[in-house]
Amino acid sequence: MRAIIDLRTNRKEELVDITARVEQAVLESGVRDGLVSVYAQGATAAIMIQENWDASVPTDVVNFLAKIIPPGVWLHDQQDNNGDAHIKAGLFGPSESIPIIGGRLGLSTWQGIFLCEFDGPRSSRRVVCTMLGERE
């Protein structure tokens, strides 16, 4: 089973909580026990599992990355001025696998799934959710 999540981003760098949309894709798939692969299409986006209770955590992540991987100093910036976005996306990677347990995401209480936008804003970002496992 596969579902596509289409979304738009609003800032150059942000973490967008997509947990509810991935959960909905899992529910609609009917998979009771298995895995969901969550994959961000694009070389300047990533997927991260992080705390989603306190909104300061995603902001802290973005601020930390801006300090250690600043824009404007990379060879790739001569092409399209987004060398830092490629490095950040590469560090986190385009995908995460999450267990499906009893038809629900196997995340802990405070975990959420985030699309990491490092080269926005974008009118369209796509996340591919692939569910594998036993169905009802």
Side-chain angles (χ1 to χ4, degrees):
M1 297 292 299
R2 183 176 316 117
I4 305 294
I5 298 171
D6 286 306
L7 61 143
R8 79 181 309 130
T9 59
N10 299 309
R11 293 189 288 280
K12 173 146 177 56
E13 298 182 332
E14 66 179 314
L15 272 62
V16 180
D17 190 342
I18 60 170
T19 310
R21 294 183 71 178
V22 174
E23 180 88 41
Q24 185 62 37
V26 167
L27 290 171
E28 289 174 6
S29 77
V31 173
R32 297 285 303 151
D33 292 292
L35 286 173
V36 57
S37 169
V38 182
Y39 177 84
Q41 292 183 322
T44 56
I47 297 293
M48 177 191 294
I49 295 176
Q50 189 51 268
E51 179 180 315
N52 68 350
W53 179 77
D54 181 353
S56 70
V57 174
T59 300
D60 286 343
V61 169
V62 169
N63 291 342
F64 171 73
L65 290 173
K67 288 179 183 176
I68 65 167
I69 307 170
V73 298
W74 309 103
L75 293 175
H76 184 70
D77 290 336
Q78 297 169 17
Q79 303 300 314
D80 53 9
N81 202 33
N82 67 352
D84 63 312
H86 288 283
I87 294 169
K88 292 169 187 173
L91 283 174
F92 290 102
S95 66
E96 290 284 352
S97 295
I98 300 109
I100 300 170
I101 303 167
R104 306 284 313 255
L105 291 173
L107 298 170
S108 71
T109 302
W110 308 116
Q111 286 180 311
I113 306 165
F114 290 86
L115 169 76
C116 305
E117 173 63 79
F118 296 123
D119 193 28
R122 294 290 180 112
S123 60
S124 178
R125 279 289 190 191
R126 297 185 92 195
V127 176
V128 180
C129 299
T130 305
M131 287 67 66
L132 303 168
E134 298 178 19
R135 296 179 72 192
E136 295 181 36

